Each structure stands twice: as C-alpha cells, then as structure tokens.
Amino acid sequence: MSQPVHSGYRPTLWERLAAAPHPSVSFESSFWHATAPAGPQTRRLEGEVRGKLAVIGGGYLGFSTALHLAEAGHEVTVLEADEPGFGASGRNTGFAVPNLLTGLDPRDVKATFGDERGTLLCRMLGEGGDLVFELIRRHEIDCEARQTGWMQPLHTPAKAAWLDDRIEQWKALGRPVQRLSRDEAVYETGSDQYHGAFLDPTGGHLNPLGYVRGLAHAAIRHGATVFSDSRARRLERVGDVWRIETEHGVLIADRVLLTTNATGGGLSPAAEGTQFPITLFQVATKPLDPELRKSVLPNDRCSADTRKDLIAFRWTWDNRLVTGGLLANPLGSAERGRTHHIGRLQRLLPQLPPLRVAYAWQGRLAAARDFMPRLMELGPNAWSAIACNGRGMAMTTALGRQVALWLGGGSNEGLPVPVTRPDPVLLPGLASLAFSLWLPMNRWKDAQDLKG
C-alpha cells in the first residue's frame, strides 16, 4: 500500500522568494567557491536505481553520515539537489564551533533531554571540533583548515557572571575551555570593546565548501554512491520500501534519512515545519596588509561575540577578513548587506583601514524553535535529522557520526537525541516572516545592553 509523505514538489514561501538571489550574492559569488578545490565528479540520477539506505541532502550532515557508514562497510546512496555543499554548508563563515548558541548551556540541554542524554549531546558537541579537524587530517581534505581556537567575547561586562558559569559547566564535562580576562580578550580580538571571552582551543576555521567537498570525495572513495543535480520531488512508502522520485529517475531504498536542512522544498512538510529559515549574508574583503594581523586576531582564532545579533570575523589564508551575519528580509539589498556588516566590523576594529568588499554571498540556515538538534521519524525506516541551529559544522559532523553508528546497527541508547515524531510550529509557512520581527527586537536588546 502506498503511503505518500509528499505528493509533489512545492517550493516554500522562502524558496519562492530566495530561489533566484541577486547574482552578486549567489553561491558562485562567494570567496569559498572561488578558492575551494573542485568537488567530486558525480552524475545525475537517471532511470531506476536500487539502494539500501538513501541520504537526501549533500551537506555536512548528509556526507558525515554517508562517510561514516561507508567507512564501516555499509551501502549508502546520497541524493543532492544541486552539488555537494550548495546550501548552508558551503556558504557560512567557516567556523568550527564546538559549543551552543549564547543562552544555551549544558544545564539547558540536560533540562530538555534529561541528564543522561543531555550529557551525551554536550559531549558529542564538545568533541565536534576535534572530529572536524581529525577528519580533515585523516582524509587529507584541502580546505585551509586552522585549528587555532574559537572565541566568544563578551560585548558587555554585565555577562561576566554568565561567562564564569558557562566555563564551569563545560569544564565539568572535561572540556579544555578557558576564560580570557578583559586584557586577554582585547589582545586576542584586537577590539577594546570586549570585556572577557570564552575560548575553546579545539575550535577553528576553514573553507567550508572545501570541507564539504572533501567529505564527499572521502565518502565516494569508501564506496558511497552520490548523485548530484537530483532533487527529490516525491517521497512515498510503497510496500516495504521507499520510492524517491527525481525529475529524471527513481531511487528505491529500504531506509531513508532526510538531511535537507532548510532546502527540502516540501518533501516532508511536517519535519520541515519544525524549522525557522534564517537568511545570512557574508562578505570577504580585499586582501589587507599582513601587518594588521599583529593587532587583529594575532593568533588566527575566529571570533563570534555574545550579542544576540552577533559580530563574527576571521582571517583567510590570503589576509582577507570574512564577516557577516543576519538579514531579516530574504530579499535584502545586496548593497545593504555589504555596508551593514563591513560597517559593524569597521566600528569594532577602528585600527583597520577603510574596508573594500571583494566577495559577497548569501545563504540560509534553519533553526528549531529550541535551537536543539532533532531526529524525527517520518514513517517506517525513514527519518529526518536537523542539527544546524547556527552551530552547523561541528554539530552536524558529530551528529552524522552518531546517526551513522545507529543506522549501522547500534541501539537508541547511544543516540544523543531521542527519535520523535515531527512537531511543526503553528503556521510553518510564516516562520521566515516571524524572524523578521525577532531580529529587530534583538538588535534593540543589544543596544540596551551596551547602554547598561
């Protein structure tokens, strides 16, 4: 008996708005696209193909899962709508952050998932940075990786007690985190506007598109099959197998894992409705005088502060600064995105000369309403996993390894999140519009913090 999960491809409101971004901020306009090594040679799914496990979505989560399954000798097929890393995995700032968003700590995770599973999740995430760089070394992924540490500077002295508490919570889990004093934070960032910082030396930065392409190469070398330019347009249960239709072919699989993040296009509306799509805008400057590296991020760390509308920045290998962040309007002006984020960095670091943008691009991430990862059951032997929540690289890579262990024969006991049914938000089609109200409110709160 046929059990459809989706009866035809229907772009979401956000996808209709953002499907054709201005060419000056497209995937191809990014610094990562200009400098990353080529991805693997793949082909489009055509005709009918039989597989055991289908992973739909070729980003960090999909390829981490596929790679770890393939390494263990399991058959796995990846379907990617465009090319590996085309979505958020290839468009972010390139931070490997083994931590949670500001406002979420191990205590909050345990309150949500219980002490045992919450501890598992925090340990998994805390080890995510080391996992990312270990995979890069083991599979010789060329992505300009630097495991120099990730910092979260305090934008206001009022958060000092919160920082001390957060440090102690992560130390209790055995993590090698450090508290930086005000003077140390000023030195490490180059900005006298900071009042201390959280430092995890296991984090770092890299070319995110190069990394996900490297995972794809590694998965293929270990036996995974990858089809690109193969958007899944219909997913249904037929008898005891799953039928996945693309424009040019059909994949029949025993099991399915959906890892499409914010780009599912209505393939599983209930699971996609648990997420809020969020627009991000990134810029890379023209190369700067290398002498500036002595006063700005002198230890080549990456930094993302404690503002709700945070300021994040890092160096590239060729002396550019990369920064970016949120835009409330998915159709936001390309010029406004450039000037807004560059202007914030210029005010934070007044020792910089006038900055000129060489590359600009936009993308979108997805966040659950509680900013926690999820593993949802779509039907017999079919699941949807989401993990980005603004901490994509370390979180998704680590969750992919755990999901692969589970799919490869492990028990639910080892999973850091429970398997649940999808619980979409009320009126999920309006989720992206809700964020347009959330961001201005949080910018106002940031301004009040600074006044206080």
Side-chain angles (χ1 to χ4, degrees):
M1 181 177 177
S2 175
Q3 301 177 20
V5 171
H6 175 52
S7 59
Y9 177 70
R10 294 189 299 272
T12 64
L13 172 63
W14 202 102
E15 287 184 316
R16 290 197 299 273
L17 291 172
H22 191 281
S24 68
V25 291
S26 68
F27 174 64
E28 291 79 9
S29 71
S30 80
F31 177 68
W32 314 130
H33 187 273
T35 59
Q41 292 293 316
T42 57
R43 59 189 175 92
R44 185 172 62 188
L45 174 66
E46 296 182 339
E48 184 171 295
V49 175
R50 185 68 169 88
K52 291 185 177 179
L53 173 66
V55 174
I56 304 176
Y60 299 140
L61 182 55
F63 278 117
S64 177
T65 304
L67 172 57
H68 286 100
L69 282 167
E71 284 186 304
H74 298 287
E75 180 187 313
V76 58
T77 303
V78 179
L79 282 183
E80 163 54 36
D82 295 282
E83 63 173 275
F86 183 82
S89 295
R91 303 184 192 220
N92 55 81
T93 320
F95 288 13
V97 180
N99 209 295
L100 295 157
L101 287 179
T102 304
L104 291 176
D105 291 311
R107 186 182 299 115
D108 304 294
V109 178
K110 293 175 186 179
T112 300
F113 295 112
D115 188 72
E116 182 178 353
R117 186 160 261 149
T119 298
L120 278 176
L121 177 55
C122 289
R123 291 191 187 281
M124 180 200 81
L125 178 56
E127 296 166 0
D130 280 331
L131 175 61
V132 167
F133 291 100
E134 188 272 330
L135 288 172
I136 290 168
R137 289 188 291 269
R138 180 153 56 90
H139 296 288
E140 299 181 338
I141 297 175
D142 181 4
C143 61
E144 300 294 342
R146 305 284 192 274
Q147 192 174 15
T148 48
W150 167 77
M151 294 182 295
Q152 187 176 35
L154 301 183
H155 73 290
T156 169
K159 295 190 75 70
W162 167 85
L163 174 61
D164 291 337
D165 183 47
R166 181 173 237 206
I167 291 285
E168 290 308 311
Q169 288 185 59
W170 284 102
K171 281 187 173 180
L173 293 169
R175 300 306 306 155
V177 299
Q178 302 170 30
R179 190 199 198 287
L180 301 183
S181 68
R182 184 186 189 285
D183 287 346
E184 289 171 326
V186 170
Y187 171 75
E188 288 286 356
T189 61
S191 174
D192 63 5
Q193 298 180 29
Y194 289 134
H195 303 272
F198 183 105
L199 170 63
D200 190 325
T202 68
H205 57 88
L206 46 82
N207 181 321
L209 181 58
Y211 173 58
V212 71
R213 284 176 172 176
L215 291 178
H217 276 292
I220 292 170
R221 285 197 302 270
H222 284 83
T225 299
V226 177
F227 293 106
S228 58
D229 190 23
S230 301
R231 177 178 291 276
R233 295 182 177 273
R234 180 183 173 94
L235 172 64
E236 65 178 336
R237 181 79 171 171
V238 180
D240 59 355
V241 297
W242 287 92
R243 178 183 174 87
I244 308 160
E245 294 182 10
T246 70
E247 185 175 354
H248 299 279
V250 175
L251 175 61
I252 306 295
D254 298 321
R255 297 184 293 169
V256 175
L257 178 67
L258 192 64
T259 65
T260 52
N261 198 24
T263 59
L267 195 63
S268 176
E272 292 164 33
T274 64
Q275 305 172 84
F276 289 87
I278 300 172
T279 305
L280 292 178
F281 197 102
Q282 309 289 335
V283 295
T285 68
K286 293 190 174 183
L288 298 169
D289 185 345
E291 285 294 306
L292 288 168
R293 298 182 75 134
K294 293 178 180 179
S295 65
V296 175
L297 301 175
N299 288 314
D300 200 20
R301 307 190 196 280
C302 52
S303 175
D305 65 23
T306 52
R307 289 174 173 86
K308 295 182 183 300
D309 182 18
L310 60 84
I311 299 179
F313 62 109
R314 54 161 288 194
W315 287 107
T316 65
W317 59 273
D318 63 345
N319 302 314
R320 303 172 191 269
L321 283 169
V322 174
T323 188
L326 304 170
L327 285 180
N329 179 3
L331 291 179
S333 159
E335 185 57 34
R336 182 170 61 85
R338 287 181 174 89
T339 56
H340 174 71
H341 294 298
I342 284 294
R344 297 179 86 202
L345 192 61
Q346 201 93 59
R347 290 188 292 275
L348 183 73
L349 301 164
Q351 68 268 46
L352 294 175
L355 299 175
R356 294 180 294 167
V357 173
Y359 297 89
W361 63 100
Q362 73 178 41
R364 61 192 184 276
L365 62 83
R369 59 176 172 266
D370 58 2
F371 293 96
M372 297 286 189
R374 296 183 181 209
L375 183 58
M376 298 169 286
E377 185 177 21
L378 305 180
N381 292 320
W383 306 271
S384 175
I386 61 172
C388 180
N389 291 301
R391 291 289 189 258
M393 191 182 301
M395 175 95 75
T396 52
T397 300
L399 183 62
R401 178 173 66 174
Q402 293 304 118
V403 169
L405 288 171
W406 172 62
L407 291 173
S411 71
N412 288 9
E413 298 300 320
L415 281 174
V417 292
V419 181
T420 62
R421 298 293 296 176
D423 57 339
V425 299
L426 185 66
L427 301 175
L430 300 178
S432 60
L433 301 181
F435 183 74
S436 295
L437 299 175
W438 178 87
L439 181 57
M441 179 180 67
N442 280 300
R443 285 176 175 167
W444 178 84
K445 289 180 179 179
D446 287 339
Q448 298 309 302
D449 286 344
L450 293 174
K451 288 180 182 178

